[in-house]
Amino acid sequence: MGMANDIESVLYTEEQLKARVAKMGADITRDYQGKEKILLVSVLRGSYIFMADLSRAIDLPCLVDFMVVSSYGSDTQSSGQVEIKKDISMNLEGYHVIIVEDILDSGNTLYYLMKILKLRKAASIRICTLMDKPDRRVRPIKADYVGFEIPDAFVVGYGLDYDQRYRNLPYVGILKPEVYGGK
Ligand code: IMP
Ligand code: MG
């Protein structure tokens, strides 16, 4: 049985994702015109596909780097505790940093990350997230670039996982609640 069996409905198709990411890349290209030191920071692992597509939709010289943080175990609820497992390798001083996230949910992850990154003398820091669930926010975090505002459902695919699976689905789908023991 394929992965599609566990999906209740498709929220965004490959074509919709492609079109939206192209637009986000064009927006960033316009907004950062003339800036010399641009750094895209992907928060792994959920944003790996978004990062790959978004970075290729930005027509400016920029660097890429990666962080690994953990805020979820194999559950679907944020614990409020965030741990940096792999930090950015480079010095941010003078860089225009764009944090590339898969989804902004409670805001715990980015709240904590922003607190740390703001101490590092970047020229600017902005947040670019593919999806945003504003109804679930418990921290005062707002993204500068949002691909899609989505309702409070657990989604997988295009990099996003449930229990480390489904990341390689080429579209974004809503998982059947019975897959994670809900109803
Ligand atoms: P936050 O700290 O609650 O904002 O959670 C952010 C992280 O939780 C995201 O980067 C995702 O890795 C994960 N997450 C939140 N909602 C979902 C979802 O619907 N599907 C998969 N992962 C999610
Ligand atoms: Mg995740």
Side-chain angles (χ1 to χ4, degrees), residues 43-47 69 71-72 75-80 82 101-111 131 133 136-138 150-151 153-157 159-162 167:
V43 184
L44 294 174
R45 280 172 262 189
S47 70
V69 302
S71 59
Y72 279 77
D75 208 346
T76 58
Q77 291 290 315
S78 176
S79 62
V82 175
E101 252 286 34
D102 53 352
I103 189 162
L104 183 48
D105 187 26
S106 70
N108 279 323
T109 308
L110 285 180
Y111 176 79
M131 287 178 281
K133 293 183 195 171
R136 303 246 314 160
R137 203 78 89 253
V138 302
I150 67 166
F154 198 78
V155 296
V156 295
L160 287 109
D161 72 303
Y162 168 67
R167 292 193 195 276

Side-chain angles (χ1 to χ4, degrees), residues 25-155:
D27 289 346
I28 290 172
T29 302
R30 180 200 60 217
D31 295 350
Y32 286 79
Q33 209 57 242
K35 303 248 188 305
E36 290 202 349
K37 295 171 85 181
I38 302 167
L39 170 67
L40 305 178
V41 175
S42 155
V43 184
L44 294 174
R45 280 172 262 189
S47 70
Y48 79 108
I49 293 180
F50 180 43
M51 174 67 147
D53 287 346
L54 179 73
S55 60
R56 286 177 293 177
I58 297 174
D59 186 16
L60 292 169
C62 57
L63 307 188
V64 296
D65 206 341
F66 301 88
M67 294 186 87
V68 178
V69 302
S70 68
S71 59
Y72 279 77
S74 54
D75 208 346
T76 58
Q77 291 290 315
S78 176
S79 62
Q81 292 222 329
V82 175
E83 187 193 345
I84 294 190
K85 300 203 158 171
K86 182 218 169 286
D87 205 341
I88 299 166
S89 326
M90 55 179 284
N91 183 348
L92 297 189
E93 195 164 347
Y95 275 89
H96 294 280
V97 176
I98 303 175
I99 300 175
V100 178
E101 252 286 34
D102 53 352
I103 189 162
L104 183 48
D105 187 26
S106 70
N108 279 323
T109 308
L110 285 180
Y111 176 79
Y112 180 75
L113 262 189
M114 287 299 276
K115 236 164 113 168
I116 295 170
L117 297 181
K118 275 181 178 162
L119 302 172
R120 298 190 185 177
K121 302 190 169 78
S124 68
I125 307 180
R126 281 187 180 169
I127 296 170
C128 176
T129 188
L130 177 65
M131 287 178 281
D132 188 4
K133 293 183 195 171
D135 297 344
R136 303 246 314 160
R137 203 78 89 253
V138 302
R139 301 281 194 179
I141 290 285
K142 232 177 141 297
D144 302 281
Y145 301 93
V146 176
F148 302 100
E149 271 199 9
I150 67 166
D152 179 11
F154 198 78
V155 296

